[in-house]
């Protein structure tokens, strides 16, 4: 008996739809703050009267030197605050693996394949551009990342009616993308390892895991322990954000009978606003302050390193994600949802070319020691992300009327029970409620028809009497 076909980007389950909606609201607000922070950084760094203060604040050092933590503000933002962002990414990935779309290997194949292709193709585009232009291959990983907060902020403005399946696809894709970005940072951007500090971090993570399994509660236990683990990881030579994702992956994300939500979901719900609303915008404030003069922007199109970043984000991301999705559907028993077209997938794939946060971080790591090229690569990330957002805006706007009809169908709740009707079509109780509603409406319309008929007959009778009187 042949296996049943599966719909690619079909309707989400109700719990998954609710979770996605909550996550998207937070990320969208965070994306708006991120956008404001990026604009503020560009103004602060490019207005002549303010430029000096930007450099002074960014390079101001603080922290205990004895612990190896006397870092600049910019460094604290990149290694410290982004650990919170990666903690949320780790928790989100864990939830997807045990309770979300990635739990089912067949469903997981699509975002995983799309994310892998969406990272491999931009890296290949960058490499080819630099091989042809005799540039440096060090930045091959810069265009591989997707900034979910920035992408969702754009989506909130231009894609108000986008179906939840496409939004979930973008969010899940970015979660997998974050995982591979973390692996890239850990494997390719770790130089000398201090094994004593690494062993201490591993021991701290083991204690963190044990406390979670024993059910110990209290932020006053976990926050100090997390800070110690982060400090040890930083001093080990491995990028400190790895500590964040490791702790996020350890959270329990399955519910027990007496729980409304799992500890992982609860902690993620508490920390996500801190990540999206504070950590990531502050990182952007101290990382996006690059020169955007005419000469600097012109250099983006003349150097292979910066040109590779722009091409990788704009072309590589769109072609990689679209190609990975199409190949998955082509070579498995899966077909695209009847409500969508492949043009919709391509539009979302183009939107994934917004690579702001992690791309800026990788750019700093890839060209560490070359301040000029680092700033030029950052300018290329900004330009590539802006171009991808503009193209996605055009593509999504062309389909917005269709999206509105799909969105309204998903949200329809005629029986007023708080659950969209599309999730109750197989429930007999739903149809009985709808029958009662329609019977009540029918009875009301019959009463109105009888009253109107009686009024009309009375008018006719009254009119006839008046005509008789006139004849008399």
């Amino acid at each position: 008996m042949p296996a049943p076909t599966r719909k690619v980007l079909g309707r989400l389950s109700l719990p998954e739809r609710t979770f996605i909606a909550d996550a998207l609201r937070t990320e969208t607000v965070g994306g708006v703050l991120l956008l404001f922070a990026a604009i503020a950084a560009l103004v602060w760094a490019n207005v002549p009267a303010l430029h000096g203060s930007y450099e002074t604040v960014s390079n101001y050092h603080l922290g205990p030197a004895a612990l190896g933590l006397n870092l600049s503000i910019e460094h604290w933002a990149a290694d410290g605050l982004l650990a919170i962002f990666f903690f949320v990414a780790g928790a989100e990935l864990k939830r997807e693996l045990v309770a979300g779309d990635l739990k089912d290997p067949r469903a997981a194949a699509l975002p995983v394949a799309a994310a892998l292709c969406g990272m491999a193709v931009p890296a290949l585009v960058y490499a080819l551009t630099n091989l042809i232009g005799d540039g440096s291959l060090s930045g091959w990983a810069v265009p591989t990342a997707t900034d979910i907060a920035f992408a969702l902020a754009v989506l909130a403005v231009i894609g108000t009616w986008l179906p939840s399946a496409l939004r979930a696809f973008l969010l899940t894709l970015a979660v997998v993308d974050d995982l591979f970005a973390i692996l890239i940072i850990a494997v390719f951007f770790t130089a000398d390892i201090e094994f004593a500090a690494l062993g201490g971090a591993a021991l701290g993570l083991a204690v963190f895991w044990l406390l979670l399994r024993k059910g110990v509660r209290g932020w006053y236990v976990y926050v100090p322990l997390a800070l110690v683990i982060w400090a040890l990881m930083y001093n080990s030579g491995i990028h400190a954000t790895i500590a964040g994702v490791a702790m996020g992956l350890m959270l329990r994300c399955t519910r027990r009978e007496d729980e409304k939500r799992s500890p992982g979901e609860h902690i993620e719900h508490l920390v996500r606003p801190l990540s999206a609303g504070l950590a990531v915008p502050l990182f952007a404030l101290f990382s996006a302050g690059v020169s955007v003069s005419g000469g600097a922007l012109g250099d983006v199109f003349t150097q292979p390193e910066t040109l590779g970043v722009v091409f990788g984000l704009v072309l590589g991301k769109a072609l990689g994600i679209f190609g990975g999705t199409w190949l998955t559907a082509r070579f498995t028993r899966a077909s695209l949802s009847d409500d969508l077209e492949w043009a919709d997938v391509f539009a979302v794939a183009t939107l994934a070319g917004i690579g702001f946060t992690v791309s800026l971080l990788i750019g700093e790591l890839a060209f560490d020691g070359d301040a000029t090229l680092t700033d030029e690569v950052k300018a290329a990330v900004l330009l590539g992300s802006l171009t991808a957002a503009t193209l996605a805006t055009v593509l999504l706007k062309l389909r917005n009327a269709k999206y509105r009809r799909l969105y309204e169908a998903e949200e329809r709740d005629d029986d007023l029970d708080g659950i969209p009707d599309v999730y109750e079509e197989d429930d007999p109780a739903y149809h009985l409620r709808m029958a009662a509603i329609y019977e009540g409406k029918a009875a009301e319309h019959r009463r109105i028809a009888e009253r109107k008929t009686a009024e009309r007959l009375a008018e006719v009778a009254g009119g006839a009497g008046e005509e008789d009187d006139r004849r008399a």
Side-chain angles (χ1 to χ4, degrees), residues 260-332:
K260 292 183 178 180
R261 61 171 59 177
S262 67
E265 289 176 298
H266 177 65
I267 294 171
E268 182 188 347
H269 180 74
L270 293 176
V271 179
R272 185 186 288 275
L274 178 63
S275 168
L278 180 66
V280 175
L282 281 178
F283 167 76
L285 182 63
F286 292 107
S287 291
V290 298
S291 174
V292 290
S293 64
L297 292 177
D299 289 342
V300 170
F301 297 100
T302 59
Q303 297 189 83
E305 293 88 355
T306 51
L307 202 58
V309 170
V310 174
F311 285 164
L313 289 172
V314 177
L315 298 178
K317 271 291 183 181
L319 295 177
I321 293 173
F322 178 82
T325 307
W326 186 85
L327 288 172
T328 302
R330 174 67 178 79
F331 293 104
T332 63

Side-chain angles (χ1 to χ4, degrees), residues 353-394:
I354 300 176
F356 194 76
T357 304
V358 182
S359 289
L360 290 176
L361 175 62
I362 295 177
E364 292 179 353
L365 298 173
F367 298 103
D368 187 28
D370 189 339
T372 301
L373 188 53
T374 297
D375 281 350
E376 290 171 346
V377 167
K378 286 183 178 181
V381 170
L382 295 175
L383 184 60
S385 298
L386 178 61
T387 304
T390 303
L391 290 175
T393 298
V394 174

Side-chain angles (χ1 to χ4, degrees), residues 188-250:
F188 295 99
F189 297 102
T190 298
D192 299 326
I193 297 179
E194 178 58 51
F195 287 99
L198 182 60
L203 179 61
L205 287 171
V207 173
F208 189 88
W209 180 85
L210 184 62
L211 291 174
L212 288 172
R213 290 300 170 272
K214 293 294 184 180
V216 176
R217 297 184 178 182
W219 64 268
Y220 46 84
V221 174
Y222 291 102
V223 172
L225 178 59
L227 291 174
V228 171
I229 294 170
W230 175 87
L232 288 168
M233 188 68 75
Y234 175 82
N235 282 285
S236 74
I238 295 177
H239 201 271
T241 53
I242 304 301
V245 74
M247 287 184 279
L249 286 169
M250 290 181 180

Side-chain angles (χ1 to χ4, degrees), residues 34-109:
L34 176 61
L35 180 60
F36 285 137
I39 294 172
L42 291 171
V43 172
W44 194 1
N46 285 276
V47 173
L50 302 175
H51 177 76
S53 63
Y54 182 80
E55 292 293 331
T56 301
V57 174
S58 296
N59 295 320
Y60 181 79
H61 281 64
L62 71 160
L67 299 178
L69 296 175
N70 185 237
L71 311 177
S72 67
I73 296 293
E74 182 180 0
H75 208 162
W76 276 111
D79 281 35
L81 292 177
L82 276 194
I84 301 173
F85 166 79
F86 280 110
F87 173 81
V88 173
E92 192 169 35
L93 178 63
K94 179 67 175 291
R95 196 206 72 84
E96 290 288 340
L97 288 170
V98 301
D101 285 346
L102 301 184
K103 181 180 180 181
D104 180 0
R106 293 177 302 172

